[in-house]
Amino acid sequence: MLFATLNGVKVEANPKAQGTCLLCDQPVFPKCGEINVWHWAHYKDKNCDYWYEPETEWHKNWKLVFGKENCEIVISKDGCKHIADVLTNDDLIIELQNSPIQIDVIREREDFYGERMLWIINGKHFKNNFSIFKSRLDEDIKYFRFYDPLSAEFGKVDNSPKNEFNFTWSWCRKSWSNVQRNVFIDFGDEYLFWVKEGMGTNSGKGNQVMKKFFLNKYGGDLELLATLIDGSKDTIKRLKTYEK
Ligand SMILES: [Zn+2]
């Protein structure tokens, strides 16, 4: 967790800070190393929320874009309590997922938070297995089938809607195949890839949503937009492909 409470105020971890857990009210201690994001940890090394995943820079950036008052929010329902990553002012829950997740945990989280929820998944770990392309023709060009007049697809016109993209996903994360809420994949560039069909499978469809529009819609701080975008050459290359 990025935040703990001290005298009713949410506080970030720093080496001298003290605080209690937002969820279980137990004392927590600041972990402020050089490698991991500064965060709060429970004594006895046991987190009280079993949906918790280790805090990363990626989590932190997304949470802070929505601000201290809208991230790490305790949600109570049917005698259970969990910490939602983000709760917007419009009561939408945004759950951030960095690591692979089991199918039953996806279902539990969706059941608990209900329909006003969406997922943002960190796609950087699998972006080399995930290709986004505009149409069959793009794919043909990639595999040189376009130049083969004997190919059944040769010369076909691209009639797909402007912002509709196809994807192929090798070694896909199958646990997502039954997801019920909207999924946005973050590959670290200016866009989120909003999966419309085929999440967790080898192929499907989606839209590119600019992060700035996403933040605008859900109340994120546009001044922090750059913290969500990597500046690597690889990113620039991907962007060029999208903008064709
Ligand atoms: Zn706790």
Side-chain angles (χ1 to χ4, degrees), residues 21 24 42 48:
C21 173
C24 68
H42 288 78
C48 59

Side-chain angles (χ1 to χ4, degrees), residues 10 22-23 49 51 63 70-76 81-88 92-96 109 112-113:
K10 270 168 115 171
L22 299 169
L23 193 67
D49 192 339
W51 292 347
K63 287 177 183 177
N70 290 91
C71 71
E72 296 190 347
I73 305 294
V74 176
I75 307 286
S76 305
K81 287 202 283 187
H82 289 286
I83 297 183
D85 290 322
V86 173
L87 176 66
T88 70
L92 176 86
I93 284 171
I94 299 176
E95 282 289 273
L96 303 167
R109 277 163 77 170
F112 183 79
Y113 291 127

